[in-house]
Amino acid sequence: MSVTQMPLEQPTAAQAPLVAKPRRKLKERLWLVALQILITVLSVTFLVPTLWMISSSLKVSTEVFAHPIVWIPRDPHWANYVTAFTGHLPLASFIWNTVKIVVFAVLGTLLSSSLVAYSFARIDWPGKNFWFGLLLGTMMLPDIVTLVPRFILFRTIGWYDTFYPLIVPYWGAVMALYVFLIRQFFMGIPGELEDAAYIDGASRLRTLTQILMPLSKPVMATVAVFALLQHYNDFLNPLIYLKTMDKFPLAVGVKMFNDFEVQHWEIVFAVSTIMLAPILVLFVFAQRFFVQGITMTGFGGR
């Protein structure tokens, strides 16, 4: 038999996995490339409105709605941001009001939610499971259902047109989700650490503040980010409880600019960019704690 007539050798059973392995790796790489392309396209699609808003904040009025779209301003007008602060509306007051509301509301949320979560996680008392289930049940109740009773209550006690309705309730652990997240994390921390602290004479409050909370930085950061976004972007509650313009937060202030600067959209976009900037900075610096807190909650806390 000549060389050209010799039959081709078929891979043996032992060699088959070695042949299939490169093919499987090639398929995995192609799938990852296709997935990366899809994610990139979706990301760019979602970012287009934001990029257009930031670009428009540096344009003149004639470029904002020009056709075709002017993505890069020919002559960036940074004075639009100066005009936003020196215009008819008190932008600086809007920002300062937002800082006060967010700081005190987030601080109250962390402290009160930690205390309640510690009670549900570490202290045995009658009816604990019932009340914890009832607390979780409040998550199913739409916030709009209690809006009118809350307004009547706050107006009756003289809190209307003050910051109290936007701050004080959150010092009472009213957000069941935050209590649940912290409670799940506390339950994953070994109890031997608390026992050692009790032997050394530490009280429950000292154990919570000096042992559990320092070990729970990921979930605390997660709750802080959630609460900050909630109060920073809150539009409905300030609109209902506040009537004086000098007390409006930034979320309502952007709407005021939208109403007053209908002929100068570049100013509206400048104010919107100012409101967006802190959130972007927060995401960059808190992303690691945020992801860690979500992934570790409910999985042993460690």
Side-chain angles (χ1 to χ4, degrees):
M1 182 181 294
S2 62
V3 177
T4 57
Q5 294 177 343
M6 292 180 62
L8 297 176
E9 294 183 2
Q10 299 295 327
T12 63
Q15 293 175 334
L18 299 177
V19 176
K21 190 173 182 180
R23 296 177 182 175
R24 189 164 54 249
K25 286 187 176 181
L26 179 60
K27 290 181 180 180
E28 292 177 356
R29 291 178 181 177
L30 292 177
W31 167 250
L32 291 177
V33 170
L35 186 61
Q36 185 67 38
I37 294 175
L38 177 62
I39 294 176
T40 302
V41 172
L42 292 177
S43 301
V44 172
T45 303
F46 291 138
L47 287 175
V48 163
T50 302
L51 297 176
W52 182 74
M53 178 192 71
I54 298 174
S55 173
S56 298
S57 68
L58 299 174
K59 298 176 183 177
V60 294
S61 299
T62 56
E63 290 182 326
V64 174
F65 297 109
H67 185 76
I69 297 177
V70 178
W71 289 103
I72 301 177
R74 298 181 180 88
D75 184 18
H77 282 63
W78 296 98
N80 292 339
Y81 289 89
V82 178
T83 305
F85 280 95
T86 59
H88 302 288
L89 297 176
L91 179 59
S93 296
F94 295 158
I95 296 175
W96 177 238
N97 295 335
T98 303
V99 171
K100 289 188 291 186
I101 294 173
V102 168
V103 168
F104 287 106
V106 172
L107 182 61
T109 298
L110 288 175
L111 292 178
S112 61
S113 299
S114 299
L115 289 172
V116 175
Y118 178 74
S119 175
F120 282 124
R122 296 301 198 188
I123 303 177
D124 291 328
W125 45 277
K128 179 178 70 172
N129 294 332
F130 169 78
W131 290 109
F132 183 67
L134 184 63
L135 176 67
L136 295 182
T138 61
M139 297 173 61
M140 305 298 177
L141 187 66
D143 190 61
I144 196 68
V145 173
T146 60
L147 181 60
V148 174
R150 283 186 287 119
F151 175 80
I152 296 175
L153 172 64
F154 294 143
R155 186 183 62 178
T156 302
I157 63 179
W159 284 7
Y160 181 64
D161 198 29
T162 67
F163 293 146
Y164 294 134
L166 308 176
I167 297 175
V168 174
Y170 299 97
W171 285 77
V174 296
M175 300 302 298
L177 174 62
Y178 304 153
V179 175
F180 173 75
L181 290 176
I182 299 176
R183 183 246 188 191
Q184 294 301 107
F185 204 98
F186 282 172
M187 292 185 66
I189 298 177
E192 291 80 1
L193 297 175
E194 293 178 83
D195 295 337
Y198 295 149
I199 294 175
D200 291 338
S203 63
R204 290 191 179 275
L205 183 60
R206 185 176 180 182
T207 302
L208 172 63
T209 56
Q210 296 187 3
I211 295 179
L212 291 182
M213 293 184 68
L215 292 175
S216 305
K217 289 181 181 179
V219 73
M220 292 297 174
T222 302
V223 171
V225 170
F226 275 145
L228 189 148
L229 292 176
Q230 173 190 351
H231 298 291
Y232 188 79
N233 296 321
D234 190 11
F235 174 79
L236 180 61
N237 288 318
L239 187 65
I240 292 175
Y241 296 122
L242 302 176
K243 67 177 181 180
T244 305
M245 182 184 297
D246 291 337
K247 296 180 180 179
F248 286 164
L250 194 54
V252 181
V254 172
K255 181 63 172 63
M256 299 292 296
F257 274 94
N258 192 15
D259 294 337
F260 279 83
E261 301 289 350
V262 291
Q263 295 181 346
H264 301 281
W265 281 97
E266 67 278 7
I267 306 300
V268 178
F269 290 139
V271 176
S272 301
T273 304
I274 292 173
M275 184 175 182
L276 176 65
I279 301 301
L280 294 179
V281 174
L282 175 68
F283 175 78
V284 171
F285 286 97
Q287 181 181 12
R288 177 171 62 88
F289 295 101
F290 179 76
V291 175
Q292 186 179 6
I294 291 294
T295 55
M296 293 177 64
T297 299
F299 288 95
R302 52 188 184 274

